[in-house]
């Protein structure tokens, strides 16, 4: 990046000026001017974050105005095509472009407010809160987490008092997994079925977790009925043992004559039948064809493979495969029949239906989407003149929480 570091060639440092001249040619002076503007802009940002006096800030703004005016007189606005081309790949390009406001109709360029006004407010940490609830909001804004020690100091109460207040208001829960306090919206979201099982186990050691169990039970998603669950051949959550029953019953053969394995790591199915099965009319006529037996069709459907029948022909002494359209259409028709037969069969047996539904709801109908509320955010360092909508603050809080969880995992 121009203006920050020196280059090294064959282990020997090369001066910045030489690098600029060598890499940019005649554009080196132009880039040097941009670096001056960038540094002056950074100084103004740093001044505002530090909360310097108006006089000190004004001096920095006048310096920026001088270097900017000098540059524009010689090279034109920063947003001009030529200037933009020179520093378009520099990470500070957006910072420089923010110094100008361009009228889209008249193309007139004016200076941004940074030249004359305070555009960033200094962060002043909040150290006092009137209530435990206010202390919670302050903790989320300042720390990003539920910090009971910090909240107690802010509210002028004991940790036990703050904890009791917030629990009684239903604002926080202690997660037995990790023993950390969380806001209600965080705890009562995600995989709530797993959380409920963890809470039930925790109650045996500490009855205080009973409130967790009751709260989680209220947000558990309603169980889906069988007519609300779409099941296809090869669904990973259907046991291989059930697939054996389906294939055997469908083809009218013994279950010992069917061998089915599912490799969960690869998501693949292996479906085979004994030689006795291979020549059954149900396998080659009713539910399959001579070229594509039902056993093979079921395996292909389970593995999401395209149903195609090919022939090998020889032309000019070379062999190649061509699609046999008639046989392919016949096999695809049988494939549709098999898919329908599976859908009709899977829910017929009551005990199988109850077992599969329980498994499906426990594993795939267990997540409650969290609703992020960023109303507590004060966003230190942002422009006080810009008022964010509630949805924008919610989005920022969601991103912040995601980053915090990532750091936690690492």
């Amino acid at each position: 990046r121009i203006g920050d570091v020196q280059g090294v060639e064959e282990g020997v440092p090369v001066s910045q000026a030489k690098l600029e001249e060598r890499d940019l040619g005649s554009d080196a002076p132009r880039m040097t001017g941009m670096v001056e503007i960038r540094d002056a802009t950074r100084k103004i940002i740093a001044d505002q974050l530090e909360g310097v006096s108006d006089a000190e800030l004004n001096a920095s703004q006048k310096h920026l105005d001088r270097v900017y005016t000098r540059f524009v007189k010689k090279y034109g606005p920063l947003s001009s095509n030529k200037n933009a081309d020179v520093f378009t790949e520099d990470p500070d390009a957006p910072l420089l472009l923010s110094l100008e406001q361009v009228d889209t109709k008249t193309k007139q360029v004016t200076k941004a407010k940074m030249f004359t006004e305070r555009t960033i407010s200094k962060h002043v940490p909040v150290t006092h809160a009137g209530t435990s609830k206010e202390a919670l909001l302050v903790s989320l804004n300042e720390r990003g987490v539920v910090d009971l020690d910090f909240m107690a100091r802010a509210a002028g109460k004991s940790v036990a008092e703050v904890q009791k207040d917030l629990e009684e208001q239903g604002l926080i829960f202690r997660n037995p997994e990790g023993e950390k306090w969380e806001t209600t919206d965080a705890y009562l979201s995600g995989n709530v079925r797993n959380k409920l099982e963890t809470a039930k186990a925790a109650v045996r050691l500490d009855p205080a977790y009973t409130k967790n169990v009751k709260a989680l039970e209220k947000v558990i998603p309603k169980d889906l009925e069988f007519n609300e669950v779409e099941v296809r051949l090869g669904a990973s959550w259907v046991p291989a043992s059930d697939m054996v029953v389906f294939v055997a019953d469908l083809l009218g053969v013994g279950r010992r004559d069917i061998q089915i394995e599912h490799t969960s790591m690869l998501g693949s199915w292996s479906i085979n039948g004994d030689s006795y099965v291979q020549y059954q009319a149900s396998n080659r006529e009713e539910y399959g064809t001579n070229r594509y037996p039902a056993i093979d069709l079921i395996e292909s459907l389970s593995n999401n493979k395209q149903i195609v029948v090919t022939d090998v022909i020889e032309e000019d002494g070379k062999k190649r495969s061509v699609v046999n359209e008639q046989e392919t259409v016949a096999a695809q028709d049988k494939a549709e029949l098999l898919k329908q037969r599976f859908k009709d069969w899977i829910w017929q047996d009551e005990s199988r239906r109850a077992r599969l539904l329980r498994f499906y709801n426990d594993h795939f109908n267990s997540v409650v989407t969290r609703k992020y509320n960023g109303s507590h955010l004060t966003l230190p360092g942002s422009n006080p003149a810009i008022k964010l909508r509630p949805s924008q603050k919610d989005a920022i809080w969601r991103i912040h929480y995601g980053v915090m969880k990532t750091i936690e995992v690492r």
Side-chain angles (χ1 to χ4, degrees):
R1 184 162 81 177
I2 298 298
D4 281 351
V5 296
Q6 289 187 329
V8 177
E9 291 184 359
E10 298 181 354
V12 180
V14 180
S15 70
Q16 183 65 44
K18 287 184 177 180
L19 277 177
E20 290 175 352
E21 183 178 355
R22 185 172 305 164
D23 296 341
L24 299 171
S26 61
D27 287 327
R30 186 190 301 266
M31 180 59 83
T32 300
M34 292 177 181
V35 170
E36 284 189 285
I37 296 172
R38 182 203 63 189
D39 292 344
T41 305
R42 284 180 176 176
K43 178 66 166 57
I44 290 176
I45 293 174
D47 285 348
Q48 293 180 89
L49 290 175
E50 291 173 10
V52 301
S53 66
D54 290 343
E56 290 176 286
L57 177 61
N58 185 251
S60 295
Q61 289 172 326
K62 285 182 177 180
H63 174 64
L64 171 62
D65 188 69
R66 283 194 299 272
V67 296
Y68 172 81
T69 301
R70 184 170 62 241
F71 178 89
V72 171
K73 284 182 179 179
K74 191 170 184 179
Y75 302 109
L78 292 167
S79 54
S80 68
N81 291 336
K82 177 60 178 176
N83 289 327
D85 287 343
V86 171
F87 69 95
T88 185
E89 295 183 1
D90 191 283
D92 284 312
L95 176 64
L96 294 187
L97 289 174
S98 70
L99 295 174
E100 295 179 341
Q101 294 177 331
V102 183
D103 189 302
T104 54
K105 293 182 179 179
T106 64
K107 304 302 179 183
Q108 183 178 358
V109 177
T110 55
K111 299 173 186 175
K113 292 182 178 179
M114 184 172 285
F115 284 88
T116 56
E117 300 178 16
R118 283 185 183 270
T119 56
I120 300 173
S121 56
K122 179 186 177 182
H123 175 48
V124 180
V126 179
T127 57
H128 176 74
T131 65
S132 296
K133 182 178 180 180
E134 288 178 6
L136 172 61
L137 297 179
V138 171
S139 178
L140 294 176
N141 184 63
E142 298 289 334
R143 303 295 178 90
V145 295
V146 178
D147 186 334
L148 286 175
D149 290 328
F150 172 81
M151 292 153 57
R153 291 193 299 271
K157 300 180 180 180
S158 68
V159 170
E161 288 176 313
V162 172
Q163 176 186 318
K164 182 181 178 182
D165 288 348
L166 297 177
E167 281 193 282
E168 290 178 347
Q169 296 178 62
L171 296 175
I172 61 171
F173 283 90
R174 184 174 58 175
N175 190 334
E177 188 172 358
E179 297 291 323
K180 291 184 178 180
W181 289 93
E182 299 178 4
T183 57
T184 297
D185 62 329
Y187 183 66
L188 300 182
S189 62
N191 193 324
V192 291
R193 290 188 192 273
N194 282 353
K195 289 183 178 181
L196 177 59
E197 292 307 309
T198 300
K200 286 180 177 179
V203 167
R204 302 189 191 104
L205 300 175
D206 186 350
Y209 285 112
T210 300
K211 61 173 69 72
N212 295 47
V213 173
K214 292 180 179 179
L216 286 165
E217 287 176 338
K218 291 179 181 179
V219 299
I220 292 290
K222 180 183 177 183
D223 279 354
L224 296 174
E225 298 298 330
F226 75 93
N227 56 356
E228 299 176 284
V229 179
E230 184 72 21
V231 193
R232 66 166 186 83
L233 262 173
S236 61
W237 55 277
V238 176
S241 57
D242 285 326
M243 289 288 286
V244 168
V245 174
F246 167 69
V247 176
D249 290 356
L250 180 78
L251 300 182
V253 299
R255 295 175 185 176
R256 292 184 178 180
D257 299 322
I258 303 297
Q259 299 86 42
I260 297 180
E261 292 182 0
H262 179 242
T263 306
S264 57
M265 290 289 290
L266 301 176
S268 63
W269 291 86
S270 173
I271 301 176
N272 296 289
D274 291 344
S275 57
Y276 160 74
V277 176
Q278 296 297 335
Y279 297 99
Q280 293 294 308
S282 56
N283 188 41
R284 291 185 174 272
E285 295 178 15
E286 187 176 2
Y287 296 109
T289 69
N290 274 321
R291 296 290 301 276
Y292 218 135
I295 285 283
D296 297 335
L297 280 171
I298 293 171
E299 183 178 76
S300 293
L301 289 170
S302 298
N303 291 311
N304 285 320
K305 289 185 177 179
Q306 190 176 10
I307 307 299
V308 179
V309 179
T310 61
D311 295 325
V312 177
I313 63 174
E314 187 171 340
E315 291 181 346
D316 300 327
K318 295 182 179 181
K319 294 181 179 181
R320 65 185 182 90
S321 296
V322 295
V323 176
N324 185 318
E325 293 187 7
Q326 184 175 351
E327 288 290 344
T328 294
V329 170
Q332 289 175 345
D333 287 343
K334 296 298 184 181
E336 291 301 317
L337 177 61
L338 286 169
K339 288 192 284 187
Q340 188 57 53
R341 286 289 183 272
F342 181 75
K343 288 183 179 180
D344 295 340
W345 172 87
I346 193 69
W347 301 124
Q348 283 179 350
D349 182 81
E350 288 187 11
S351 61
R352 180 174 63 243
R353 181 196 310 164
R355 171 170 51 82
L356 291 178
L357 277 177
R358 183 71 272 139
F359 183 90
Y360 184 88
N361 279 299
D362 286 347
H363 291 80
F364 305 109
N365 183 32
S366 56
V367 175
V368 172
T369 302
R370 180 179 175 181
K371 295 180 180 179
Y372 291 86
N373 183 350
S375 59
H376 60 277
L377 295 175
T378 57
L379 305 175
S382 63
N383 189 337
I386 299 176
K387 303 299 181 183
L388 297 182
R389 294 188 295 273
S391 60
Q392 291 173 312
K393 282 193 171 185
D394 294 347
I396 293 171
W397 179 235
R398 179 173 186 172
I399 293 170
H400 169 81
Y401 185 80
V403 171
M404 293 297 292
K405 292 297 288 183
T406 301
I407 294 173
E408 220 173 80
V409 169
R410 288 179 179 175

